[in-house]
Amino acid sequence: MFKHVMKPLAPLLALTLAYAAFTTGRSPEERLAPISDAAKTFYTTLRAERISGLPSEEQMKKLSGLLTPGLHAAILKARAEQQEQIKKHPDDKPNWIEGDLFGSLFEGVTQWELGSAFFAPGVDGTVKVNLTYQEATEKPTKWTDILVFKQREEKWLLDDIRMGGEWAFKSADSLRGRLPGGWQAREDHDSPDEKWHVTFQRDGEVVSNISIQAADKSGLPHLLFGAESSPAGGVPSWVLWNPDSDLLAVRLGDSPRFTRTLIFRLVGHEWKKVEMPVFYAEEKKTMAGNGFRETDSLIDADHWYDANTLVVKYFSSWANGDDGDGYSKYISVQISADGKASVTEAVDTPGKD
């Protein structure tokens, strides 16, 4: 466990006031009760339906009021694409036709229990759900998924599910990642609005460059990564699109202990790089001045909180002989209309139950 000695970054006034109003006079259990209640309602409804593949129209009627408009639209788009696949290739099995779309394990869930909830300003609300799958004579498989909620007009709605199962054949790390325009795209793909195409160039397991080009090929490809001399290492790299398809983040894995995130914004018909703010610059300077060396630095694009705010999962550890220090944070980075990025909030990541 790392000790957090670094002073917190100042949040925006609006977020501070909103959080103060939310927390004043309430116990931790009372503050988190609305998120936990939303999770219980959603998961009870979901598992009562026994959904395989995409929800049917009747099942979506029961779920739609519990989902954000963005997630609802992504599921409907998947259904439209599925129907188009069936029409064009009637003898082939289409995407999203079977398996548990809403959980880590294809076979589904036989038992579930809600775990801890988490919320802080500028970061989505989350609720852990502890899951089990067991056939009659087999050893049970256990894992934990995380339900991600956004608040819309005083109501908490499901926006994503982060898949916590740790096995080789998991189809994606999140529900969004399994749907059209999924956030963590790790292969060649089109943007959510289908106007841009992203290409990953690899040399074996190493990503040598990532480029973007208009889907209609009306312009030349633009390098998002690869102009520098050092390619990304054999650690997963991904692209994360904002809901409006005019901002994207590129997460690059230089090594298992050092990763970084680049941000780009669409200006006219060109993609311009946005300078990522340096996290804890003064604290790092102080640590280095006291003989500490940074041994890990993971700057991972996690998700878009809204169309202009990227949430980065940031982990850093420092060592000086036997002494160690560090921290693990969710950091919200807001991109202004003129392309300036600034930190609006930093909170500790929730620990395990």
Side-chain angles (χ1 to χ4, degrees), residues 262-276:
L262 312 178
I263 303 174
F264 296 86
R265 64 189 284 258
L266 183 60
V267 181
H269 297 287
E270 296 183 19
W271 289 93
K272 302 287 188 181
K273 188 175 180 180
V274 176
E275 284 300 320
M276 175 76 82

Side-chain angles (χ1 to χ4, degrees), residues 69-299:
L71 180 55
H72 183 259
I75 293 173
L76 295 184
K77 185 174 182 182
R79 182 185 296 147
E81 289 190 12
Q82 184 189 71
Q83 292 303 310
E84 187 66 20
Q85 290 171 0
I86 293 172
K87 182 179 178 180
K88 291 182 177 180
H89 309 283
D91 297 329
D92 296 338
K93 182 183 290 186
N95 293 331
W96 310 296
I97 198 65
E98 61 186 357
D100 187 1
L101 183 71
F102 295 88
S104 292
L105 191 65
F106 179 89
E107 289 78 5
V109 171
T110 55
Q111 184 178 346
W112 62 273
E113 181 183 18
L114 293 181
S116 60
F118 173 79
F119 168 72
V123 178
D124 298 333
T126 60
V127 179
K128 294 181 179 180
V129 55
N130 302 311
L131 302 162
T132 302
Y133 175 78
Q134 183 175 23
E135 295 183 356
T137 60
E138 300 294 328
K139 183 179 179 180
T141 300
K142 296 178 179 288
W143 73 97
T144 299
D145 289 343
I146 297 178
L147 310 179
V148 181
F149 290 88
K150 289 184 183 292
Q151 193 170 24
R152 295 289 185 264
E153 298 180 354
E154 304 303 317
K155 187 176 182 180
W156 289 97
L157 302 175
L158 185 84
D159 191 60
D160 199 5
I161 300 176
R162 298 174 191 159
M163 308 301 175
E166 298 179 354
W167 37 81
F169 300 106
K170 184 173 59 176
S171 63
D173 288 336
S174 70
L175 172 58
R176 289 272 195 169
R178 294 175 174 178
L179 297 169
W183 287 353
Q184 288 191 8
R186 305 185 183 205
E187 303 291 340
D188 298 358
H189 66 279
D190 289 333
S191 59
D193 64 3
E194 300 181 347
K195 294 181 179 180
W196 299 91
H197 184 75
V198 174
T199 301
F200 287 72
Q201 185 71 38
R202 287 183 168 85
D203 181 6
E205 295 297 320
V206 175
V207 176
S208 56
N209 69 66
I210 301 174
S211 62
I212 188 167
Q213 184 178 23
D216 61 6
K217 297 186 178 179
S218 58
L220 296 174
H222 172 76
L223 278 181
L224 299 174
F225 162 74
E228 62 254 54
S229 58
S230 300
V235 178
S237 298
W238 61 74
V239 170
L240 208 64
W241 288 92
N242 80 332
D244 295 341
S245 297
D246 59 3
L247 284 166
L248 62 83
V250 181
R251 187 270 200 179
L252 300 169
D254 297 319
S255 75
R257 306 185 75 163
F258 288 88
T259 65
R260 52 192 163 124
T261 289
L262 312 178
I263 303 174
F264 296 86
R265 64 189 284 258
L266 183 60
V267 181
H269 297 287
E270 296 183 19
W271 289 93
K272 302 287 188 181
K273 188 175 180 180
V274 176
E275 284 300 320
M276 175 76 82
V278 178
F279 303 148
Y280 299 105
E282 290 301 318
E283 290 83 351
K284 288 181 177 180
K285 185 177 179 180
T286 300
M287 295 285 283
N290 284 290
F292 283 78
R293 180 177 61 88
E294 191 171 31
T295 57
D296 300 87
S297 178
L298 305 178
I299 305 174

Side-chain angles (χ1 to χ4, degrees), residues 261 263 276 279 298-303 310-314 329-333 349:
T261 289
I263 303 174
M276 175 76 82
F279 303 148
L298 305 178
I299 305 174
D300 296 342
D302 191 78
H303 66 279
L310 175 68
V311 177
V312 175
K313 193 171 185 179
Y314 182 46
K329 300 279 187 179
Y330 278 122
I331 297 181
S332 297
V333 179
T349 56

